[in-house]
Every structure is written in C-alpha cells, then in structure tokens.
Amino acid sequence: MSIKVSGVNKKFGDFVALDNVSVNLPTGQLTALLGPSGGGKSTLLRIIAGLETADSGTVTIEGHEATHLPPQKRNVGFVFQHYAAFKHMSVAKNVAFGLEIRKRPKAETAKRVAELLELVHLSQFAHRLPAQLSGGQRQRMALARALAVEPTVLLLDEPFGALDAKVRKELREWLRRLHDEVQVTTVFVTHDQEEALEVADEIVVINEGRVEQVGTPDQLYDEPANDFVMSFLGPVTTLGGRLVRPHDIEVFTTAAVTGAVGGVITRQVRIGFEVRLAVQLDEPGAPEVSVTVTRATQRHLGLEVGSQVWVAPTHGAPAVPVVTPIRQNLTA
C-alpha cells in the first residue's frame, strides 16, 4: 500500500473532524476522498500531507513512517483549490520553483519544465504570467508544478472546485488521462459525486469524520454499505420501505406485474432526454415516489399528470432499508 492511515483522530476544539479513521490507499491508483462539506475529507488529506497534525494515529507513506515528518520531508505534491501561484513569476518559473529551491542543475530544470508544460498542454504559454491564463490553465500549471519534483504521492484538495461546470468536466477527463500517463499515486478530495465516479479507481466515502465505505465506483454504486452511501452517490427515493434510485423503478400502466404498487402521477418534469415523475402511491400514508424514465418511455406509455400507474423496482436494482428520512427532490 502506498499510503496507510491507522487510527487517526483529530479535533478542532469540541468539533470532531476525524474519528478513528483507518484506510489504505493503493500504490499507483487515483483515489477520491468523497463526502459532504465538513465531513473530514480535507482534514484527512492535510494530515497525509503534513499540513495538519493528528491528535493520535499514524500515517505511513510508501512504507516509511511519516506521522511526525514535516511536509517537505514527505515527498508529496499538493495542489490547492485556488492555485496558489506566484503571480510575479511566469508559468515556466512557477513550474520550475520546486526544482530551483532544490538546487537542481539549470539544464535538468529546463528540460523537466519543458516536458511538463508539454504534458499539460501549456508549452505555448510558458512566458505568460498566471493572471494571463484561464482558470483551467492555471490549475493545469499548478498540477505541473506539483509534479515537477517527482513526488511519491500527489494530493489534490478540490482542485476544480473554483471552476465552472463545463471546465470542471473537461479538466477531470484530462486528469484521468494525465494520471494514466504519469502513474503517480494520486489522492483527491471532492464533494462532487459524478467527479469521483468518473475519475477515481477507488473511492473513500467520509461522513462526520468516519469512513462509511471504501470501494471501486461500481462497488459503491451497486452495493452501497448503508443508506448514507446510497443517498450520497446519486438521487434516491423511497419505495416499500427501501431506498431505490429513481431510474431503477419501472412504470406500468396495468396492475399485471406482481409486487407493483399503484399510484397517480402528480408532477412531471422533462430535462432533455429524461422525464422525472412524482407518483403519489394509493396506499394510505405512503410517500411520494420519484421516478426517472426516458422521453421515449414516457411517450410510449402515454404518461401524463393524472395518469394511473403501477411502479416496482427493476430486478437486481440496489436497494437498502431506510434508516434516516430522505427528502424527495424533483427539480427542473
């Protein structure tokens, strides 16, 4: 294992940021620390980097005890959300900074910087100042600077959080390709479920300072450990006392299907190719169920507000018992 965190605890006053956290992060993989704001994921990342000190527990990096080492002794690269660029230096000088303070030969530094700028597609901007770059370009510069010193581990704290949705999507696709090229062990913090599911080899779900589940994106999505993991990794609705994903519910216009529950469509919202339905079940006191179907299915079945329908989970769909109330969310 590249990074081993064992029994780590951290408090800020009375607030428990991390509660006996233990996790192994594999060598060479891209791991996402995923969870809600304030859940402890950034604190864990900063403890791995040496930017925060754990109250108790240990951190091992590539087999070396790192718990009490200062950041500069851990051989990690760290990328912050807001770039932290040297504004008076050119892009090339920013990337070269870590090599220069390590007194690397000038020829070696120049070669390494040129290679990295080509890798992150910024060669033509080498002599520009950071302020002359777009947000996405500045973040690529920050990644190049972190990679310049050939770190054992690359740590990213919500690296795309300050960017708009379109640029975020482009950069996370780019990050995945970059990781496959450089093969450095990478850990990134995000609260964006889609980002984690699309980019990561493995996801660590953290909530209220505790690890809820660790697994591949498919494992977490298809086999959630509990209602929190299921509800955090995508929309859910309640049907038959269990949490089910709205797109994993089938809609029928007759009661011929065993186990299907009757109801009436009370709201319908179209978003592109999909249609989101709110179905009020006929059972007294039953909650409203959210259902997602394709536009083609909606047309084929003739579904409209007021239609009598029957709903049932698709065979093999993930479902977990309801433990905490889930607020229904049907938005345009």
Side-chain angles (χ1 to χ4, degrees), residues 87-285:
K87 298 178 181 180
H88 63 290
M89 293 183 181
S90 68
V91 170
K93 280 289 189 180
N94 264 277
V95 175
F97 180 77
L99 297 169
E100 290 176 346
I101 64 172
R102 286 168 173 78
K103 306 297 185 183
R104 298 284 179 86
K106 288 185 177 181
E108 178 188 326
T109 297
K111 181 182 177 183
R112 178 68 174 158
V113 169
E115 290 172 347
L116 286 166
L117 290 179
E118 183 176 352
L119 183 67
V120 300
H121 309 299
L122 290 177
S123 296
Q124 67 271 41
F125 303 116
H127 301 296
R128 289 193 182 182
L129 294 174
Q132 296 173 302
L133 303 180
S134 69
Q137 290 168 340
R138 285 197 294 269
Q139 199 57 286
R140 296 208 308 268
M141 179 196 70
L143 281 162
R145 186 177 60 193
L147 289 168
V149 296
E150 299 179 277
T152 303
V153 175
L154 181 61
L155 306 176
L156 314 175
D157 192 3
E158 300 209 44
F160 311 137
L163 306 173
D164 65 56
K166 184 176 184 297
V167 177
R168 282 179 71 111
K169 183 169 179 59
E170 292 172 353
L171 276 183
R172 69 191 187 212
E173 292 171 355
W174 173 83
L175 176 63
R176 180 68 250 186
R177 294 194 300 270
L178 176 69
H179 176 267
D180 291 341
E181 285 189 49
V182 299
Q183 288 293 303
V184 63
T185 301
T186 304
V187 185
F188 76 102
V189 162
T190 181
H191 61 265
D192 186 319
Q193 300 90 333
E194 184 178 334
E195 189 166 276
L197 291 169
E198 181 178 337
V199 173
D201 297 307
E202 184 172 85
I203 299 173
V204 180
V205 180
I206 301 177
N207 180 43
E208 296 183 343
R210 296 184 296 274
V211 174
E212 298 280 356
Q213 188 174 0
V214 181
T216 66
D218 285 349
Q219 287 172 337
L220 267 62
Y221 199 83
D222 295 336
E223 304 167 27
N226 52 44
D227 63 332
F228 174 82
V229 174
M230 179 148 187
S231 61
F232 196 74
L233 284 176
V236 294
T237 192
T238 303
L239 181 60
R242 302 179 74 81
L243 294 182
V244 185
R245 302 200 186 281
H247 60 258
D248 284 331
I249 296 176
E250 292 189 81
V251 181
F252 307 94
T253 53
T254 69
V257 177
T258 303
V261 181
V264 175
I265 297 175
T266 57
R267 189 179 173 202
Q268 181 171 282
V269 178
R270 181 185 174 188
I271 304 177
F273 71 91
E274 72 178 29
V275 179
R276 299 178 185 179
L277 310 172
V279 178
Q280 181 58 61
L281 301 183
D282 295 333
E283 300 172 346

